[in-house]
């Protein structure tokens, strides 16, 4: 259990010192992110929290997010492009964490489950980051311009259909300081728990994203079949908030063990 971290208004993080970043493990682009955000009882998330971290919250409320996105121009170590594995979709269920490192408060995410369509990506993520990946066929339908549009990610599991979708209007803009949209979109660290119970931390670097607020946003499918009954119950409700982000280039640094 880490010492309590005071509630903070979200703010853009300064770039970590070079020695905290480590070496680049992956360079990619995250594009066309659809983010459905749900309130959740923090007690339901405590079993998932890695040692050395604690749950993060916004204005006293804890969130879990269901996110669809496209990976593009993906390269290992920022150099190696693997044939047929540069561009793919992902849907992930994530929670929000924070950790104190000296005087610095690091805000990050942990993935409850990540779904991709490529078995090699699943294997690599499990080996390098101990992430809970699953391979399922994924599709997207994206029609976005600066004046709005629609977005959808869909997949099947055991012949059951699933999808997340939303519409938007107007022009995108950077999330305003101190908003829920900024809190959700500006966590720059990742955390996971290895098989022996130790915790892993890695830095994720990217520019701030332009955001559209979404309407008619929903998850459709049997959430309990994918994520268990507790998360399934949460996902059966309308999201507390939903937005679409245009995305950017991303650098994912190698993971390191933390106390």
């Amino acid at each position: 259990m880490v010492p309590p971290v005071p509630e903070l208004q979200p703010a853009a993080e300064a770039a970590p010192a070079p020695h905290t970043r480590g070496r680049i493990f992956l360079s990619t682009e995250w594009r066309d992110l659809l983010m459905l955000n749900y309130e959740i009882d923090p007690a339901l998330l405590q079993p998932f929290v890695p040692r050395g971290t604690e749950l993060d919250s916004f204005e006293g409320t804890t969130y879990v997010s269901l996110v669809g996105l496209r990976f593009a121009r993906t390269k290992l170590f920022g150099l190696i492009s693997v044939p047929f594995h540069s561009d793919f979709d992902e849907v992930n269920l994530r929670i929000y964490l924070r950790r104190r490192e000296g005087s610095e408060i690091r805000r990050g995410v942990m993935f409850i489950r990540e779904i991709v369509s490529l078995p090699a990506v699943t294997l690599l993520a499990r080996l390098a980051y101990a992430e809970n990946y699953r391979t399922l066929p994924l599709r997207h339908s994206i029609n976005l311009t600066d004046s709005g549009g629609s977005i959808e990610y869909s997949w099947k599991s055991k012949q059951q259909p699933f999808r997340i979708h939303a519409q938007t209007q107007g022009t995108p803009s950077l999330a305003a300081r101190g908003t829920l949209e900024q809190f959700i979109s500006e966590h720059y660290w990742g955390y996971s728990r290895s098989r022996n119970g130790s915790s892993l931390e890695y830095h994720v670097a990217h520019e701030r994203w332009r955001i559209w607020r979404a309407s008619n946003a929903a998850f459709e499918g049997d959430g309990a079949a994918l994520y268990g009954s507790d998360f399934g119950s949460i996902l059966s409700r309308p999201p507390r908030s939903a937005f679409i982000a245009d995305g950017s280039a991303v650098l994912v640094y190698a993971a390191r063990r933390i106390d």
Side-chain angles (χ1 to χ4, degrees):
M1 187 70 158
V2 295
V5 178
E7 187 73 22
L8 299 177
Q9 289 296 323
E13 293 190 16
H19 69 275
T20 68
R21 294 186 179 215
R23 61 183 177 84
I24 293 173
F25 178 76
L26 196 74
S27 67
T28 188
E29 296 178 12
W30 290 347
R31 298 293 180 187
D32 303 322
L33 296 96
L34 172 56
M35 311 187 82
L36 309 184
N37 312 302
Y38 301 81
E39 293 184 38
I40 191 168
D41 182 346
L44 297 177
L45 300 183
Q46 284 298 338
F48 299 94
V49 176
R51 290 188 307 205
T53 71
E54 67 175 7
L55 290 172
D56 204 356
S57 62
F58 178 79
E59 296 183 345
T61 299
T62 305
Y63 287 89
V64 59
S65 297
L66 188 60
V67 180
L69 71 154
R70 295 190 304 111
F71 279 67
R73 300 178 182 176
T74 304
K75 295 181 180 180
L76 287 173
F77 315 116
L79 299 170
I80 303 170
S81 181
V82 180
F84 310 111
H85 288 75
S86 295
D87 304 300
F88 55 92
D89 296 343
E90 176 178 301
V91 172
N92 63 65
L93 185 69
R94 66 176 66 176
I95 64 175
Y96 300 92
L97 304 171
R98 57 192 178 189
R99 187 176 84 86
R100 188 189 297 274
E101 178 74 12
S103 61
E104 177 188 4
I105 296 175
R106 297 180 173 178
R107 313 187 94 98
V109 303
M110 178 183 175
F111 299 103
I112 301 298
R113 169 159 285 173
E114 295 160 276
I115 298 170
V116 293
S117 55
L118 300 174
V121 174
T122 295
L123 177 62
L124 184 63
R126 287 176 176 173
L127 292 175
Y129 293 95
E131 299 283 16
N132 185 17
Y133 267 73
R134 183 176 179 184
T135 306
L136 293 172
L138 276 164
R139 301 178 63 183
H140 67 254
S141 176
I142 297 169
N143 179 23
L144 292 174
T145 68
D146 278 352
S147 59
S150 62
I151 183 170
E152 174 183 305
Y153 291 91
S154 60
W155 65 102
K156 285 187 176 182
S157 174
K158 297 180 180 178
Q159 302 306 310
Q160 296 185 61
F162 298 86
R163 73 174 183 136
I164 54 175
H165 59 92
Q167 297 174 332
T168 189
Q169 293 181 335
T171 57
S173 61
L174 297 178
R177 302 289 187 190
T179 61
L180 177 59
E181 288 82 6
Q182 187 197 19
F183 171 81
I184 295 293
S185 63
E186 295 188 24
H187 281 70
Y188 296 103
W189 297 88
Y191 295 96
S192 62
R193 187 167 50 196
S194 64
R195 293 177 183 82
N196 65 10
S198 62
S199 301
L200 301 177
E201 176 188 72
Y202 55 94
H203 178 56
V204 180
H206 63 79
E207 296 177 355
R208 297 180 69 201
W209 299 326
R210 297 188 308 160
I211 287 171
W212 295 267
R213 290 202 176 181
S215 60
N216 300 319
F219 163 72
E220 297 178 9
D222 182 0
L226 281 178
Y227 305 112
S229 58
D230 288 337
F231 290 113
S233 177
I234 298 297
L235 297 175
S236 68
R237 310 169 189 167
R240 168 71 180 273
S241 81
F243 62 87
I244 299 165
D246 60 356
S248 66
V250 175
L251 294 177
V252 180
Y253 289 82
R256 70 181 188 93
R257 297 190 186 280
I258 59 173
D259 294 330

